[in-house]
């Protein structure tokens, strides 16, 4: 088990190194001129050759790529992520403030979609072939095929524009100072984006749980419990749920990548100031330092979810530990 855990952590580190190399390479090969991006076209045209040469030396123009990568990686590991051009502040501060909003949004959506998907999957399995089962399957198939931004726009039109129950966007009320923003204000602004992510994220968990629950209901120990006089619901509550919860949880952790990808679109639709919106702003504005940092933070978040899912699968199924060379300890 120890080798299995260390092997997964080692793969996580190697993936992060690969993402760092790929991100830096793509940024280096992009047509963005670091000097022009930082001083602007007008200032660049009126700049002396000596000043331009000094700035080119500062930004590493003409320095071999591998030397610039090691210098950038060392600074990044020491917490110096550069300065954001679009936000005119350290990249680490931008990422920290935006990550809090994104993590709150994704955390709520992750929890709600997991609980709701698990409950719907179990309910559909218990009523297999019924109207409820057909409704759950239809809901999952439709939502799984629906683009996240389309669902967000639909909810925005209905609940914000027509009904006026939720604000049109942002994470806090417009014109209200940060000191005056309450928890209820933040929750009110986050509700509709979180609902959008939750509705879309339910499908996989519900369908997976339904199939697993049907398998459990056909197992010998479940039939034995029914033979002892337990109803289907009682047998599921006492013997089935424990065999369904952990596989559903591992699948939910592996869905962090999908939730993060959906949050990028949702944040744009609702103008929610998170990492996704910052990434779009950085990409359109040529903010290379911020874009690279967001790419690494996003990769770390996604890989951490997959790492957790792999470790949970290893705990559930010892065969996975043996297949990965972990052995039994």
């Amino acid at each position: 088990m120890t080798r299995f855990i260390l092997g997964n952590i080692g793969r996580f580190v190697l993936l992060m190194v690969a993402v760092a190399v790929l991100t830096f390479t793509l940024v280096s090969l992009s047509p963005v001129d670091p000097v022009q991006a930082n001083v602007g076209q007008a200032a660049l045209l009126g700049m002396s050759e000596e000043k331009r040469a000094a700035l080119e030396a500062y930004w590493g123009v003409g320095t071999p790529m591998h030397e610039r990568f090691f210098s950038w990686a060392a600074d990044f590991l020491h917490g110096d992520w550069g300065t954001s051009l679009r936000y005119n502040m350290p990249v680490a501060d931008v990422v920290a403030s935006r990550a809090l909003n994104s993590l709150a949004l994704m955390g709520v959506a992750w929890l709600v979609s997991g609980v709701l998907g698990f409950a719907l999957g179990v309910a559909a399995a218990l009523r297999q072939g019924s109207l409820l089962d057909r409704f759950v399957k239809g809901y999952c198939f439709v939502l799984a095929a629906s683009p996240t931004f389309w669902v967000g726009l639909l909810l925005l039109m209905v609940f914000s524009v027509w009904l006026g129950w939720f604000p049109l966007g942002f994470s806090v009320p417009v014109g209200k100072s940060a000191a005056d923003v309450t928890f209820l204000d933040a929750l009110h602004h986050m509700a509709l984006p979180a609902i959008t992510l939750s509705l879309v994220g339910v499908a996989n968990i519900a369908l997976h749980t339904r199939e697993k629950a049907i398998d459990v209901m056909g197992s010998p120990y479940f039939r034995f419990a029914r033979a002892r006089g337990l109803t289907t619901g009682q047998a599921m509550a006492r013997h089935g749920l424990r065999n369904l919860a952990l596989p559903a949880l591992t699948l939910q952790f592996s869905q962090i990548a999908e939730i993060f990808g959906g949050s990028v679109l949702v944040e744009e639709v609702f103008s929610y100031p998170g990492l996704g919106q910052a990434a779009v702003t950085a990409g359109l504005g040529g903010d290379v330092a911020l874009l690279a940092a967001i790419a690494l933070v996003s990769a770390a978040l996604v890989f951490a979810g997959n790492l957790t899912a792999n470790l949970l699968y290893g705990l559930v199924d010892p065969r996975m530990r043996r297949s990965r060379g972990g052995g039994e300890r």
Side-chain angles (χ1 to χ4, degrees):
M1 187 63 186
T2 303
R3 286 182 57 191
F4 176 75
I5 294 175
L6 293 178
N8 277 278
I9 294 176
R11 279 187 285 272
F12 172 81
V13 174
L14 290 177
L15 284 171
M16 288 304 304
V17 172
V19 170
V21 173
L22 181 62
T23 300
F24 187 84
T25 301
L26 292 176
V27 168
S28 299
L29 295 178
S30 69
V32 176
D33 184 353
V35 178
Q36 179 179 331
N38 281 272
V39 302
Q41 180 67 30
L44 185 64
L45 293 176
M47 187 178 297
S48 65
E49 290 296 330
E50 293 78 8
K51 183 64 175 179
R52 182 183 177 91
L55 287 175
E56 289 179 349
Y58 175 78
W59 290 106
V61 177
T63 305
M65 185 183 297
H66 68 278
E67 294 183 12
R68 286 188 284 117
F69 171 75
F70 286 119
S71 176
W72 170 76
D75 292 339
F76 195 91
L77 291 175
H78 285 89
D80 182 8
W81 296 3
T83 302
S84 170
L85 301 178
R86 302 294 295 178
Y87 296 96
N88 195 29
M89 59 188 301
V91 169
D93 294 342
V94 177
V95 172
S97 62
R98 294 305 182 101
L100 289 176
N101 290 334
S102 289
L103 290 176
L105 174 62
M106 290 188 292
V108 172
W110 182 84
L111 183 62
V112 172
S113 63
V115 173
L116 184 59
F118 184 79
L120 289 177
V122 173
L126 292 174
R127 304 291 183 182
Q128 186 178 1
S130 66
L131 180 62
L132 174 63
D133 184 29
R134 293 196 295 271
F135 171 78
V136 171
K137 289 191 296 183
Y139 164 81
C140 292
F141 291 145
V142 170
L143 266 294
S146 301
T148 306
F149 73 90
W150 180 81
V151 176
L153 288 173
L154 187 63
L155 295 180
L156 188 65
M157 287 189 297
V158 173
F159 294 102
S160 294
V161 178
W162 294 347
L163 299 177
W165 292 356
F166 297 98
L168 288 171
F170 307 107
S171 61
V172 295
V174 177
K176 201 170 187 178
S177 64
D180 296 331
V181 175
T182 64
F183 175 75
L184 291 179
D185 290 332
L187 189 62
H188 190 211
H189 280 72
M190 185 177 64
L192 205 55
I195 290 173
T196 303
L197 282 178
S198 300
L199 290 177
V200 177
V202 161
N204 287 339
I205 296 296
L207 293 175
H208 176 269
T209 302
R210 178 185 178 275
E211 294 302 316
K212 285 289 184 180
I214 292 174
D215 291 341
V216 166
M217 292 167 62
S219 62
Y221 70 84
F222 193 92
R223 291 198 298 268
F224 179 72
R226 293 280 288 116
R228 288 191 295 132
L230 297 179
T231 65
T232 303
Q234 290 173 335
M236 178 63 71
R238 296 185 184 182
H239 305 286
L241 293 183
R242 69 184 67 178
N243 295 309
L244 297 175
L246 198 52
L249 184 61
T250 53
L251 178 63
Q252 185 70 351
F253 273 109
S254 65
Q255 282 201 143
I256 289 179
E258 296 182 18
I259 293 177
F260 181 81
S263 71
V264 175
L265 301 175
V266 168
E267 288 173 8
E268 277 297 298
V269 170
F270 292 94
S271 300
Y272 193 82
L275 283 177
Q277 191 188 53
V280 174
T281 302
L284 295 177
D287 196 342
V288 173
L290 179 58
L291 191 61
I294 292 177
L296 288 178
V297 171
S298 304
L301 179 64
V302 172
F303 292 158
N306 292 333
L307 172 64
T308 305
N310 288 337
L311 294 179
L312 288 175
Y313 271 124
L315 290 174
V316 175
D317 191 352
R319 293 172 298 178
M320 177 172 283
R321 299 200 295 267
R322 289 194 292 269
S323 67
R324 296 291 181 88
E328 293 287 346
R329 295 196 176 186

